[in-house]
Amino acid sequence: MSEISKAGTALVTGSSSGIGAAYAERLAGRGYDLLLVARNEDRLKELGAKLEAAHGVKVETLKADLSDAADVRKVEKRVRDDEAITLIVNNAGIGPKGKLLDDDVDYLDDMIALNVVSVNRLAIAAAQTFAARGRGAIINIASVVAFIPEVFNGTYSATKSFVLSLTQSLASELKDSGVKVQAVLPGLTRTEIFDRAGGSMDHLDPEMIMDVTDMVDAALAGFDQGELITIPSLSDTTLLDAANAARGALGPHLSLRKPASRYGVGA
Ligand SMILES: NC(=O)c1ccc[n+]([C@@H]2O[C@H](COP(=O)([O-])OP(=O)(O)OC[C@H]3O[C@@H](n4cnc5c(N)ncnc54)[C@H](OP(=O)(O)O)[C@@H]3O)[C@@H](O)[C@H]2O)c1
């Protein structure tokens, strides 16, 4: 077993495949010990053994179904109690089976439990714990559909808007705390997510699908550059600045004593 790493331990949820597994690999390369969380413990252990051998870091696995409240609390307790944890990547998530009108509401409830409820609990636990220590980092995996809910399943898009809003709000509260926060908004990324939901990426334009390691490398570069919102495919960052500026311009008009005159009501 190696010494405790200087970088600390990174807890990565949903690290048995796709984006989470790629984060685990890259973070091990940066010298982080790892706490890998997902349901499929065999896959976690296999990845852990590979990363320990390749990078000389210490890897622990924690089997948890993050759509289950008791399992989320188990992981939350670890976040609060384990002083070695310096980074959490809230990545575990599921995608939609299709359009909202064709989807199964019970499945969407499970999606909200995983994509929203668990992320909320773990991000807040990390924020409170890291803020008290004056250091640490939180990476939340949202999606570009947070910005374009009209073109994708509404519940899924809303879960990702939740992750984006939560991250923006946490960043504001944590501004002077020494804790780094980032929301990553991937576009289409080649992973198992569509297959798991009974679909496939095969009919999609390959020019719109990013390789998973490119996505994670870009996201980590954005993290290093101190970006709060990282959109890996976005070259022209003035577009994001303009969207944020437009939102800011609305600010002074959003809560006033009088209704707007066009409604013809009020004194
Ligand atoms: N791929 C894309 O195009 C894309 C685009 C934007 C955002 N994202 C987001 O990226 C994140 C990762 O997705 P991915 O594309 O890498 O998909 P993926 O390959 O399907 O991986 C999903 C990961 O989440 C874990 N997971 C699923 N349900 C879980 C549960 N109930 N409890 C604990 N872990 C669970 C899975 O592990 P187990 O099955 O072992 O539990 C797996 O490790 C998600 O939040 C997704 O919304 C993906």
Side-chain angles (χ1 to χ4, degrees):
M1 198 180 277
S2 60
E3 295 297 310
I4 292 175
S5 121
K6 276 209 192 88
T9 299
L11 187 164
V12 186
T13 70
S15 38
S16 62
S17 72
I19 293 170
Y23 263 104
E25 207 271 325
R26 290 313 200 227
L27 292 171
R30 288 177 174 221
Y32 281 91
D33 289 332
L34 296 169
L35 178 54
L36 303 180
V37 179
R39 294 167 302 178
N40 188 327
E41 208 173 14
D42 289 345
R43 287 182 86 175
L44 292 180
K45 283 190 186 307
E46 192 183 327
L47 176 64
K50 193 181 101 186
L51 297 181
E52 281 187 331
H55 300 286
V57 297
K58 194 173 73 160
V59 184
E60 191 187 336
T61 61
L62 180 56
K63 179 183 160 100
D65 178 348
L66 296 175
S67 61
D68 176 86
D71 275 13
V72 176
R73 278 170 174 71
K74 185 173 75 178
V75 179
E76 177 193 355
K77 185 167 168 25
R78 192 63 197 265
V79 171
R80 291 191 186 277
D81 295 350
D82 185 343
E83 295 199 1
I85 296 175
T86 54
L87 169 65
I88 177 165
V89 184
N90 274 309
N91 162 77
I94 53 173
K97 289 180 185 294
K99 291 186 175 177
L100 207 47
L101 294 187
D102 305 324
D103 218 325
D104 163 7
V105 187
D106 289 332
Y107 178 78
L108 296 174
D109 274 354
D110 290 343
M111 179 190 286
I112 292 169
L114 177 64
N115 294 14
V116 172
V117 179
S118 78
V119 174
N120 189 55
R121 202 150 186 117
L122 297 181
I124 294 171
Q128 291 173 340
T129 309
F130 295 165
R133 290 188 206 139
R135 69 185 278 254
I138 302 168
I139 298 174
N140 293 328
I141 308 300
S143 162
V144 289
V145 298
F147 282 140
I148 46 170
E150 297 86 351
V151 306
F152 208 67
N153 179 292
T155 302
Y156 179 78
S157 302
T159 68
K160 296 304 178 179
S161 297
F162 178 93
V163 174
L164 176 58
S165 294
L166 178 75
T167 311
Q168 288 170 306
S169 175
L170 278 177
S172 166
E173 285 200 36
L174 289 169
K175 137 162 96 47
D176 301 315
S177 68
V179 181
K180 258 178 105 168
V181 184
Q182 181 195 28
V184 176
L185 278 60
L188 291 168
T189 308
R190 201 170 294 287
T191 69
E192 298 175 12
I193 194 166
F194 277 66
D195 307 85
R196 284 173 185 260
S200 152
M201 283 191 159
D202 293 348
H203 62 289
L204 300 171
D205 178 358
E207 286 304 312
M208 292 182 71
I209 306 175
M210 196 175 285
D211 175 76
V212 69
T213 50
D214 285 347
M215 201 296 285
V216 170
D217 285 342
L220 281 169
F223 178 77
D224 294 339
Q225 289 167 23
E227 287 185 346
L228 168 58
I229 298 174
T230 294
I231 301 176
S233 64
L234 182 69
S235 297
D236 183 358
T237 54
T238 65
L239 295 171
L240 182 58
D241 294 342
N244 282 328
R247 213 162 50 82
L250 273 174
H253 309 280
L254 296 178
S255 182
L256 297 170
R257 186 169 57 81
K258 288 186 176 179
S261 62
R262 73 178 176 286
Y263 297 121
V265 298

